[in-house]
Amino acid sequence: MSELKLPTYADVVAASERIAGHAHRTPVATSRTANEELGAEVFFKCENLQRMGAFKFRGGYNALARFDDVQRRAGVVAFSSGNHAQAIALSARLMGIPATIIMPHDAPASKVAATRGYGAEVVLYDRYTEDREQIGRDLASKHGLTLIPPYDHPDVIAGQGTAAKELFEEVGHLDALFVCLGGGGLLSGSALSARAISPSTKIYGVEPEAGNDGQQSFRSGSIVHIDTPKTIADGAQTQHLGNLTFPIIQRDVDDILTVSDEQLRAEMRFFAARMKMVVEPTGCLGFAAARAMKEQLRGKRVGVIISGGNVDIERYAALLAP
Ligand SMILES: *Cc1c(COP(=O)(O)O)cnc(C)c1O
């Protein structure tokens, strides 16, 4: 294998120019209750209010905006448990690019419907027995499509880094930044922005307890693969970090933490009751970990990226029920 060229903060800056006027510059919310409960000043970057409901629009749009004419005509293929699918489907529609999306058969119905609604062709597979990456590669080579993976791609990472860039631009220095972690696109992109703009910020990636491959990888120094974890955080059911995301995380991130599904449900209730926001389970990872670390965060300025808000309404109601 040749040496990998990792994206840099300059790529994040270029991405922010490409997505300007297309992605929302999402609001930064604060909550007196959150501040009181943590004894800290907490700034929430609300990517649940991003177009299509998650930060993934940033990376998807940035990646497609870099296609040449031949790639645009042939189309894009993507595999995703949900939000990346919608990000690619919507971005492709906005640019007039045909899109094929490979989704797990048990993906939330709202995510499958939204992806079809954006005009993409959806191919379903069994996430416990089939290899989505192989299916994606096969389709790509057969029809000349360009495969855009959900996290391990320089343009995707650079696009995801624009959320943290905006957060720092808006609130200035932060002592700590908590970022949801699946395959590491959001975390590695956020780390590029944090290290460039606010170098002393402690950066934490947060995973579901049942799927702590990132923590194992971070601590062991090489990418650990796990079986698809069973967790309510469906956006973080990834089996391994990427060849691009892992070295950035190793270099720039301070630690990787885990939280339980019960903690995620408690934060879903917090966001609903106190901040009047629908946040999907995966989107609660960052704040759940911050709350668990509150002794160390007392008096500090804390950033939390709320990564998404896409959850079926019936499932949402069931998860909120005590
Ligand atoms: C994809 C996703 C994540 C995880 O992002 P990675 O870049 O894979 O680490 C977290 N939250 C939500 C809502 C997502 O859609």
Side-chain angles (χ1 to χ4, degrees), residues 52-56 80-84 111 150-151 156 160 179-188 234-236 238 241 245 249 280-285 306-310:
M52 55 57 59
F55 71 91
K56 288 222 173 60
S80 164
S81 59
N83 285 331
H84 177 63
K111 293 186 178 180
Y151 53 86
V156 172
Q160 316 309 30
V179 183
C180 314
L181 171 59
L186 183 62
L187 178 59
S188 58
D234 52 282
T238 41
L241 298 177
T245 60
I249 289 168
E280 63 181 276
T282 316
C284 295
L285 285 164
I306 298 177
S307 55
N310 290 331

Side-chain angles (χ1 to χ4, degrees), residues 68-96:
D68 63 25
D69 287 345
V70 174
Q71 289 175 300
R72 277 172 199 256
R73 270 195 298 276
V76 59
V77 59
F79 46 81
S80 164
S81 59
N83 285 331
H84 177 63
Q86 290 176 65
I88 292 295
L90 174 57
S91 302
R93 193 187 63 178
L94 293 172
M95 293 180 224

Side-chain angles (χ1 to χ4, degrees), residues 66-151:
R66 302 205 61 193
F67 275 21
D68 63 25
D69 287 345
V70 174
Q71 289 175 300
R72 277 172 199 256
R73 270 195 298 276
V76 59
V77 59
F79 46 81
S80 164
S81 59
N83 285 331
H84 177 63
Q86 290 176 65
I88 292 295
L90 174 57
S91 302
R93 193 187 63 178
L94 293 172
M95 293 180 224
I97 297 172
T100 303
I101 309 291
I102 302 159
M103 299 184 86
H105 69 293
D106 59 347
S110 62
K111 293 186 178 180
V112 177
T115 304
R116 290 204 171 108
Y118 291 131
E121 187 184 329
V122 174
V123 175
L124 297 173
Y125 78 102
D126 183 339
R127 77 158 103 202
Y128 297 102
T129 61
E130 290 180 286
D131 179 359
R132 65 181 189 175
E133 305 190 15
Q134 191 56 50
I135 298 171
R137 279 192 295 268
D138 288 349
L139 276 170
S141 66
K142 210 183 291 170
H143 304 290
L145 312 180
T146 302
L147 176 67
I148 299 296
Y151 53 86

